[in-house]
Amino acid sequence: MQAVQMQPAQIEPAAIDRHTANVQTAHAYSAPPVHSHGGWMIQIGAFDDEGEAKQHLSEAQIKVHGPLAAKDPFTERVQKGDKALYRARFAGFDKSTAEAACRALKRSDFECMPLKD
């Protein structure tokens, strides 16, 4: 098993395209901060470029501020075949708040999937 490195997202608001990709679980190269909030997170997309993933996180925080205000955005690098993708995720939810955040994000035209950590 590979060591997992923490890599917080440094996010600045920017215009982005909404392109997401489905990925299968692969080795993680960064991970979310450790939480005691119930072990849930949400994923709002997977992107070819880490900068694009961070921009997507930033735009989500701006448009859906309330449910994401105290949550921790991060990117997670995954390998799909010979291609690296960057998952855009928020950590720090319990099941009900993850589901509520996804509903709010979907109303603002974001993809969203709650995940048990």
Side-chain angles (χ1 to χ4, degrees):
M1 180 171 208
Q2 293 184 348
V4 176
Q5 293 180 345
M6 300 299 287
Q7 192 174 48
Q10 295 178 351
I11 303 168
E12 296 181 22
I16 63 164
D17 292 328
R18 284 180 176 69
H19 298 289
T20 60
N22 292 323
V23 296
Q24 296 176 359
T25 302
H27 296 255
Y29 294 94
S30 62
V34 176
H35 292 284
S36 60
H37 293 97
W40 284 78
M41 66 180 79
I42 61 173
Q43 180 172 316
I44 62 171
F47 304 88
D48 294 331
D49 178 75
E50 186 175 21
E52 185 179 4
K54 289 178 180 181
Q55 288 175 343
H56 203 69
L57 290 166
S58 177
E59 186 174 285
Q61 284 185 308
I62 291 167
K63 288 190 175 183
V64 186
H65 179 71
L68 302 177
K71 305 308 177 198
D72 297 311
F74 69 99
T75 61
E76 180 180 51
R77 184 177 188 271
V78 294
Q79 197 71 32
K80 179 151 173 81
D82 62 347
K83 183 177 182 178
L85 293 172
Y86 296 87
R87 292 174 174 163
R89 293 180 166 184
F90 289 92
F93 296 92
D94 59 27
K95 183 179 181 182
S96 64
T97 58
E99 290 170 345
C102 276
R103 284 191 299 273
L105 284 158
K106 288 177 180 181
R107 283 193 299 271
S108 292
D109 297 321
F110 285 90
E111 297 291 325
C112 188
M113 177 174 50
L115 304 165
K116 178 104 172 98
D117 192 13

